[in-house]
Every structure is written in C-alpha cells, then in structure tokens.
Amino acid sequence: MTTVNMDTLNRFLFDNHPIRGEITRLEQTYQAVLDNHTYPVAVQNLLGELLVVTSLLTATLKFEGDIAVQLQGDGALSLAVVNGNDQQQLRGVARVNGEIADDATLKDMVGNGYIVITITPKNGERYQGIVGLEKDTLIGCIENYFMQSEQLPTRLFVKTGVHNNKPMAAGILLQILPANDDTAESFEHLSALTETITADELLQLSTDEILYRLYNQEQVRLFETHDITFKCGCSRQRCEDSLMTLPANEIDEILSEDGGNIDIHCDYCGKHYLFDSIDIAEIRNRHKVNYH
Ligand SMILES: [Zn+2]
C-alpha cells in the first residue's frame, strides 16, 4: 500500500487546454478543526467543505494575505467560518443552536443566510464579496461567487468522508485561464472527466494517482506541493488588546464575579487565556507606560 500524503495542495495546468487546476486534500487539519467540539455530522461535513473551499480559494490569490469564508443565517447553524492565508494555514469554527439532522441540507442548517468572503491582502485594500444561498450546496454558491467576482467560469469538486475513523476532505478546482477564447469545449470536457471522481478515490488515492485516474489522456503539468496546516492566530497578546478595549469598570465587574479570574476561551483551538487581578493591574500599567 502506498502512503498517501494528506494536508497538501498542488496546482496543475493542462498543456492542451486553457484551464488551470488545483487539488487540496485534508486530514489532520480537518481533525484539528473538529477537535474539542461536538458538531452534528452535517456541520462536520460542511466544515470539511469550507476548509477545502478556503484552501482552493486561497491558492487562486496572487498575493500574501488572509481570507475568510463565512456562512451566516437565522438557522440552527448561525455561523460557520474558516480562515486561511497564503501559507495554507487554516482554522475554522461553527456555532450551533438547536438540532441538525444528519442529512440536513445547507438551507436546513443556515436558514435565511448568505456567504461573506473577505480577502485581506497584506499590502492593499480589503475586498469583501457577498453571495446569497441561491444554490442548494455550498459548492454551487462558491462557483457563483467566482462567476460574480472574477467572471471566470470555475468548477469545484469536493468530497468529505471518514476513513479509518479519520475525517477527510478533499477537492479539485478547475478554472478557465483569463483572456482565452474557445474555452467552453475544453472546460466542459475536463469538467465531465473530473466529475467521475468518487469520494473513495479523491479521499484515498495519492494526488498523482488521482490526476492519472482522471486525466491520463491529457498532458498535465503538476507543480510543487504545498503543505496545509492547522494554525490558530490567537495569542495572549491579542486577548490583552481586546481586554483593553473594554471599559475598566466592566473588567473589574467580571473579575469580582468570576472568582477573581477572566477566562478568555478561543473557539477555534480550545485554548484558555486566564487573567487575574494582578495580571490586569500589570497590563493597565503597561498600557499607561505606552500611551502617556
Ligand atoms: Zn485559538
């Protein structure tokens, strides 16, 4: 049995078609997002799809920066968000209030809602795109987003599942290269090929095997492998900064109520940051020194 490297992203090109591709496969990153949470099965699957979509979206960006793909609505799943960056570091979280069936659809979960995609380049202006839930699946909605924002026909093929008790999620993106004519036939042809991939194949074969399985009649150029990792950007410093935006009396109130501690919990990674009254006095002191 060959070992399959998961948590990787590859870009590829077809020599004979004006189409580019990306393939993303996740295991540990996905597991890390599910750790410390007890999400309903349908939400677990949706988070897997969101992670794959965010990785693929990030790989289409041509600059350094961050991206957030956020679903929100008035349903039992009020929020699901995945953050990624050009280093292929991902994190994600969902908020569930109420029952969600195993076979719940996107609309069953989110209700009346929409998807917000926020792209924040390190240098340059922040861009925000909003797409309605006009399609039945997250993937359909994201394909709409590509059409609206970049006017580039894009197809996404995403699968999630569990193998050897491990959650896995993987996906392929096909996109027409800008400024090309006569692309429709190539795009349809390659989309039809890609559509034949099964969940078992996409989740369990190696990237090379998948590309061979789908495109052995084509000339495919596969580029270098990028590792994908789970990384949460939370830190004690960030907690301090947000604490200092609160009114002082509010902080004092929490300190006196909660047994002398402020416990800030990160929803993404499960870390706790504890601040007692001595910490707070010290932080206030430091902020005075900084700003006066
Ligand atoms: Zn965190």
Side-chain angles (χ1 to χ4, degrees):
M1 202 177 120
T2 49
T3 24
V4 173
N5 284 331
M6 296 297 279
D7 299 283
T8 56
L9 168 105
N10 289 86
R11 296 180 177 88
F12 55 92
L13 277 177
F14 296 93
D15 285 346
N16 303 321
H17 303 284
I19 311 279
R20 55 185 222 82
E22 296 169 4
I23 177 165
T24 279
R25 308 171 72 248
L26 297 171
E27 183 188 315
Q28 283 170 28
T29 309
Y30 186 17
Q31 180 65 63
V33 167
L34 299 182
D35 278 348
N36 309 312
H37 296 276
T38 46
Y39 295 127
V41 173
V43 173
Q44 292 182 22
N45 292 335
L46 186 70
L47 279 170
E49 289 183 3
L50 263 180
L51 285 163
V52 170
V53 161
T54 306
S55 169
L56 294 170
L57 256 168
T58 308
T60 65
L61 301 179
K62 295 171 185 71
F63 50 77
E64 288 178 37
D66 301 314
I67 190 163
V69 182
Q70 186 170 328
L71 266 162
Q72 53 192 75
D74 61 6
L77 177 66
S78 55
L79 175 82
V81 58
V82 169
N83 304 107
N85 62 25
D86 56 275
Q87 301 296 303
Q88 287 292 331
Q89 295 168 331
L90 300 172
R91 67 171 189 171
V93 75
R95 287 215 183 99
V96 179
N97 315 292
E99 294 281 307
I100 293 179
D102 287 359
D103 60 352
T105 64
L106 183 66
K107 274 186 189 118
D108 293 341
M109 290 190 269
V110 182
N112 296 308
Y114 48 90
I115 302 169
V116 187
I117 294 170
T118 310
I119 297 169
T120 314
K122 227 172 229 164
N123 305 301
E125 246 167 78
R126 167 183 280 211
Y127 166 85
Q128 201 160 59
I130 297 177
V131 269
L133 303 183
E134 274 128 38
K135 299 279 173 172
D136 294 337
T137 62
L138 172 71
I139 304 310
C141 296
I142 299 293
E143 287 174 347
N144 269 2
Y145 164 78
F146 275 106
M147 259 335 262
Q148 285 170 25
S149 69
E150 306 194 35
Q151 275 95 48
L152 289 174
T154 306
R155 291 287 314 271
L156 297 167
F157 307 85
V158 179
K159 310 276 186 195
T160 62
V162 177
H163 286 284
N164 301 324
N165 286 321
K166 288 175 188 152
M168 291 182 176
I172 295 173
L173 172 145
L174 293 181
Q175 188 172 62
I176 290 180
L177 289 167
N180 273 287
D181 299 325
D182 297 328
T183 52
E185 207 176 306
S186 285
F187 195 55
E188 258 169 51
H189 167 65
L190 294 175
S191 296
L193 288 178
T194 312
E195 210 145 43
T196 66
I197 196 84
T198 67
D200 281 349
E201 288 169 334
L202 190 55
L203 298 174
Q204 295 186 67
L205 297 179
S206 70
T207 296
D208 285 326
E209 287 168 330
I210 292 166
L211 296 182
Y212 181 79
R213 149 78 180 83
L214 291 174
Y215 313 123
N216 60 71
Q217 307 288 324
E218 310 290 336
Q219 258 94 56
V220 179
R221 234 181 313 153
L222 182 66
F223 295 95
E224 65 192 82
T225 300
H226 297 270
D227 290 331
I228 303 172
T229 51
F230 174 86
K231 189 161 191 279
C232 188
C234 70
S235 68
R236 195 166 173 89
Q237 184 61 50
R238 287 201 174 176
C239 293
E240 283 185 15
D241 293 346
S242 61
L243 276 176
M244 285 303 104
T245 65
L246 295 175
N249 60 339
E250 215 168 286
I251 293 178
D252 292 336
E253 219 167 280
I254 307 170
L255 277 175
S256 62
E257 273 170 15
D258 281 0
N261 275 316
I262 294 177
D263 181 355
I264 299 181
H265 172 246
C266 176
D267 280 344
Y268 286 91
C269 69
K271 243 184 229 158
H272 283 271
Y273 296 93
L274 285 176
F275 297 88
D276 60 19
S277 53
I278 296 169
D279 294 325
I280 296 297
E282 191 262 323
I283 294 164
R284 280 176 177 157
N285 211 17
R286 196 149 19 93
H287 276 247
K288 261 182 215 148
V289 173
N290 286 342
Y291 297 116
H292 293 278

